[in-house]
Amino acid sequence: MAGLKEYVSWRGDLSFSADPLNEVDLICFSQLAVLDFGGIFKRDITLKEMFKLYAATGRATTLLGVMVPYDMNVIFKAMAESNRFGGVVIKDRVYEYDAEKILQFGATVYETRAYRLVCFSGTDDTIIGWQENINLAMPKPVPAQKRAVEYLTEFCDTPKKLYVFGHSKGGNLSLYSFANCDSQTASKVTGCYCFDGPGLREETFTRPEVSERLPRMKTILPPFSVVGRLFFHEEELFVVKSSQRYLGQHDCFSWEVVGNRLIKNESGFMRGSDEMEKNIKRLIADTDGCERDALFESFFGWLLADGDSTLTDLEKKRKNFIAWYMTLPREEKKIIKSILTQVIKDSSARSFFTDLQKQWKDKKAYELKALESMRKSIYGKNVPRA
């Protein structure tokens, strides 16, 4: 079945004036948001020109991290070389990382003759980025959410059709920025899309201005969505068919496409996804906030203690989880036991974790082949080092 890469190959010959922007296009753009353009980005540069600079550094033939699919590099090349995407202008690009503030924020503004697209980045390979993900469960907004509102406000002034969107945490930032921006900014937004990102806090949807904006909000989730069902959704939901299992469905490259539209999963969410959603929300509701905060602070402090900053760093080592667990106060140990009990009791959770190791192994094998293919297609034998 066709996916994003096949879509770009099939539709890449037609301009946006010949075939207007659609949801599949937005998902393709969202996959470029995590890539590292540090030191090479220039304002108002086309995708075609940007890929040339990116490839010249050797980054196109560098694996992107434990959780980040290498297919992001593959589709970047395909988009850059197509008539449809190659001339799209990257008007702005920011990446902000602050370990003290627990901030990992990325955003990109793409422009065509008719559209301005504000895309928020999902979580990259940094540990701080994943810590900020956990903090989304807290009552107060995280730094990236506040920053997203500022960024959308900064780039809303345009006569073009304005879309705001993102994948994973980027999807949450999209929903949050649109729900919390001022009325003048919101009036400029044609559509707001969340691609398998956490929803919003339940009370957000009780505000009158958010209710008025709901018709312009849409979330797309795979059948076994975990990340996307952590919080609440009142906006339109679309369950997309996926070629992968369990956590692999979070990868947009597994989402199935026919023509220029996503294929709907007619049976909706998998039962396991429903069960995990209930268990996660129950666990969050039943856990004392102060104890939970202290546990997470201790856990991420332990991960970062040896100077590690990315999940790839951690993958190279095997930190002693038991030794860390034994240092915890009794109440924090109870939270860990509760989580493990849920995993043991929940058949879908057991299947999820059993399957996870196999998926990572398959991911590595596939990505090494894809990387070598990219290497040959771009550089031949003269391969620069990133």
Side-chain angles (χ1 to χ4, degrees):
M1 184 59 66
L4 298 186
K5 291 182 291 183
E6 290 78 12
Y7 168 76
V8 172
S9 176
W10 170 76
R11 185 79 306 169
D13 61 326
L14 290 186
S15 67
F16 288 105
S17 58
D19 184 26
L21 183 80
N22 59 66
E23 294 171 354
V24 184
D25 292 319
L26 294 179
I27 297 171
C28 290
F29 281 117
S30 76
Q31 298 309 287
L32 309 185
V34 176
L35 299 177
D36 177 15
F37 292 172
I40 58 173
F41 173 70
K42 301 177 181 179
R43 279 178 172 269
D44 298 323
I45 187 172
T46 65
L47 254 65
K48 183 177 182 178
E49 294 167 335
M50 190 68 241
F51 183 77
K52 288 180 181 178
L53 293 178
Y54 182 77
T57 68
R59 296 176 200 180
T61 51
T62 301
L63 296 179
L64 300 174
V66 175
M67 299 296 290
V68 185
Y70 180 74
D71 274 339
M72 290 180 179
N73 273 342
V74 176
I75 202 169
F76 184 18
K77 181 176 184 292
M79 291 171 70
E81 293 175 350
S82 72
N83 291 332
R84 185 172 185 81
F85 300 101
V88 172
V89 171
I90 308 177
K91 185 175 182 63
D92 191 68
R93 174 92 171 194
V94 298
Y95 180 80
E96 299 168 10
Y97 175 90
D98 191 317
E100 290 187 8
K101 293 181 180 178
I102 311 179
L103 165 69
Q104 177 255 316
F105 173 78
T108 307
V109 178
Y110 305 98
E111 277 205 339
T112 72
R113 291 181 180 178
Y115 308 106
R116 176 173 288 183
L117 313 176
V118 177
C119 176
F120 293 114
S121 170
T123 311
D124 58 16
D125 197 40
T126 61
I127 297 171
I128 289 296
W130 286 91
Q131 184 175 4
E132 189 175 41
N133 271 356
I134 296 294
N135 289 348
L136 290 174
M138 310 307 174
K140 294 182 179 180
V142 300
Q145 289 175 323
K146 295 179 182 179
R147 192 65 189 87
V149 176
E150 296 171 355
Y151 195 82
L152 176 59
T153 304
E154 180 182 355
F155 286 97
C156 73
D157 188 13
T158 177
K160 301 178 180 183
K161 290 185 177 181
L162 175 65
Y163 289 87
V164 54
F165 60 100
H167 173 239
S168 197
K169 185 181 76 174
N172 172 270
L173 298 183
S174 172
L175 294 178
Y176 185 90
S177 64
F178 184 51
N180 289 279
C181 65
D182 59 65
S183 58
Q184 184 176 358
T185 299
S187 68
K188 302 279 189 177
V189 176
T190 302
C192 172
Y193 287 85
C194 170
F195 305 129
D196 203 23
L200 301 173
R201 299 188 66 80
E202 193 171 18
E203 59 269 22
T204 303
F205 296 104
T206 64
R207 289 164 29 207
E209 69 272 21
V210 177
S211 297
E212 183 274 328
R213 297 170 193 180
L214 279 179
R216 287 177 283 163
M217 301 165 72
K218 183 174 182 178
T219 289
I220 296 172
L221 303 173
F224 195 87
S225 176
V226 177
V227 174
R229 303 187 75 187
L230 291 177
F231 307 124
F232 295 88
H233 295 278
E234 291 292 335
E235 73 280 9
E236 179 186 354
L237 288 183
F238 180 93
V239 182
V240 60
K241 203 168 184 181
S242 171
S243 60
Q244 287 288 339
R245 290 162 45 87
Y246 301 115
L247 186 62
Q249 295 186 4
H250 184 60
D251 182 352
C252 294
F253 291 98
S254 77
W255 295 2
E256 298 187 3
V257 177
V258 59
N260 61 0
R261 62 182 178 84
L262 298 169
I263 298 177
K264 184 176 182 180
N265 193 60
E266 296 296 344
S267 56
F269 293 113
M270 294 170 60
R271 183 175 63 86
S273 178
D274 291 333
E275 292 175 358
M276 288 192 74
E277 178 195 25
K278 292 176 184 176
N279 289 335
I280 291 170
K281 287 178 177 174
R282 185 188 307 120
L283 185 63
I284 292 173
D286 292 347
T287 303
D288 179 86
C290 293
E291 293 172 356
R292 187 176 61 214
D293 291 355
L295 174 63
F296 290 147
E297 184 175 349
S298 172
F299 178 66
F300 282 99
W302 169 66
L303 291 182
L304 294 162
D306 298 332
D308 298 323
S309 62
T310 69
L311 298 181
T312 302
D313 293 335
L314 294 180
E315 189 186 26
K316 296 174 182 176
K317 303 177 182 178
R318 290 188 179 273
K319 292 208 171 187
N320 193 332
F321 178 83
I322 299 299
W324 167 73
Y325 173 81
M326 296 305 295
T327 67
L328 295 176
R330 183 175 61 181
E331 292 304 314
E332 293 177 25
K333 286 180 179 177
K334 283 173 62 178
I335 299 175
I336 296 292
K337 288 179 180 177
S338 176
I339 294 172
L340 294 176
T341 300
Q342 289 291 345
V343 171
I344 293 170
K345 288 169 56 179
D346 188 337
S347 60
S348 61
R350 291 199 305 272
S351 299
F352 169 80
F353 285 108
T354 299
D355 195 62
L356 191 57
Q357 188 173 8
K358 180 180 183 301
Q359 287 189 21
W360 276 344
K361 184 178 179 180
D362 292 345
K363 175 180 182 290
K364 285 183 178 180
Y366 164 77
E367 291 189 340
L368 288 173
K369 290 181 180 178
L371 185 149
E372 186 58 30
S373 176
M374 175 77 82
R375 187 189 303 265
K376 291 178 180 178
S377 68
I378 299 177
Y379 310 118
K381 295 180 180 180
N382 301 316
V383 183
R385 297 299 174 189

